[in-house]
Amino acid sequence: SIKSSVLVSICNAALKSCELINYIVSIAGCFEEEDFITCTYGYNVSTTMSTSKVIALLKEGEDEINKKVKRGVEIGPSEKAILQRLSFWKYLVIVLHKIQNFEKKNIESLKEDLNKLFHSVSPIKSTIGIGTQAVVSDEKHRKMTGFEYLINQKLLSSTPPRYIAILERNAMCEYLMRLFAHVELMLRINESTTLSSIIRFFVRFSEQNP
């Protein structure tokens, strides 16, 4: 078992995020079979833990570090970086949960949390240099501890194995910020009140790519 409560909360947040994204994309039904494979190879994606419990664990992790600050204990760069990542995961789970249970009356609340999620990425990007760094074997392969690059591939019987691009961490942060801005733009659809304005919105939206 994992003894660190902070690590436990982040692991559960990652698993719950996978579950929520799987649900959202599946319900949307706007994907090709070969582009969205949900095989978990028998692993649990935190389906037995509620979203509220995952969020509570992340808040407990934040509180654990914040209590040190309140006691006057100076925390190092690593703990500050962990705190920033806890905040990111908390708002990511909250946003995904609100999208899963979307209600028009809650759209402003969703926008606020999405804005907080967007601004939680920059601190992560600025602290990428802290902690364990990837071992770069060549320009395309960065081996991280506990992560096997080659396992991230599609294995369909009708097609040859194809790899999903894994972004370098700086590029990943930039991509996430573009993606969250893209989602925020999508939420503006409620500002369109006529058929013609809705059509124009979707035309402009379709021209963009996160």
Side-chain angles (χ1 to χ4, degrees), residues 81-92:
I82 290 171
L83 191 60
Q84 291 161 351
R85 283 152 179 77
L86 284 167
S87 177
F88 167 82
W89 281 108
K90 180 180 69 176
Y91 286 115
L92 177 62

Side-chain angles (χ1 to χ4, degrees), residues 55-188:
I55 294 171
L57 286 173
L58 290 165
K59 289 181 178 178
E60 287 176 12
E62 287 181 308
D63 291 341
E64 184 179 317
I65 297 176
N66 284 325
K67 284 178 182 177
K68 293 183 179 180
V69 178
K70 291 179 181 178
R71 292 198 304 266
V73 178
E74 185 176 351
I75 62 174
S78 296
E79 286 185 296
K80 289 180 181 178
I82 290 171
L83 191 60
Q84 291 161 351
R85 283 152 179 77
L86 284 167
S87 177
F88 167 82
W89 281 108
K90 180 180 69 176
Y91 286 115
L92 177 62
V93 174
I94 289 173
V95 166
L96 289 174
H97 178 65
K98 288 186 176 181
I99 292 175
Q100 179 194 32
N101 301 281
F102 180 79
E103 292 184 24
K104 190 175 180 180
K105 64 181 180 180
N106 296 328
I107 194 167
E108 292 304 319
S109 173
L110 174 56
K111 285 181 179 179
E112 290 177 9
D113 289 324
L114 186 60
N115 183 57
K116 292 174 182 176
L117 176 60
F118 176 87
H119 286 98
S120 71
V121 178
S122 291
I124 292 177
K125 185 178 180 182
S126 65
T127 56
I128 284 176
I130 297 174
T132 305
Q133 300 299 306
V135 177
V136 182
S137 56
D138 57 57
E139 292 184 359
K140 293 184 178 181
H141 293 79
R142 292 174 172 81
K143 186 174 179 60
M144 291 297 294
T145 302
F147 180 78
E148 176 52 58
Y149 184 89
L150 297 179
I151 201 171
N152 189 50
Q153 58 183 329
K154 300 178 179 181
L155 295 174
L156 292 178
S157 57
S158 58
T159 59
R162 292 177 295 177
Y163 297 100
I164 303 172
I166 299 178
L167 298 177
E168 187 272 330
R169 286 182 289 178
N170 274 297
M172 177 272 297
C173 288
E174 293 171 2
Y175 174 83
L176 286 176
M177 294 179 73
R178 292 197 305 271
L179 176 62
F180 298 150
H182 199 60
V183 175
E184 192 277 332
L185 174 63
M186 184 172 58
L187 294 175
R188 296 181 189 175

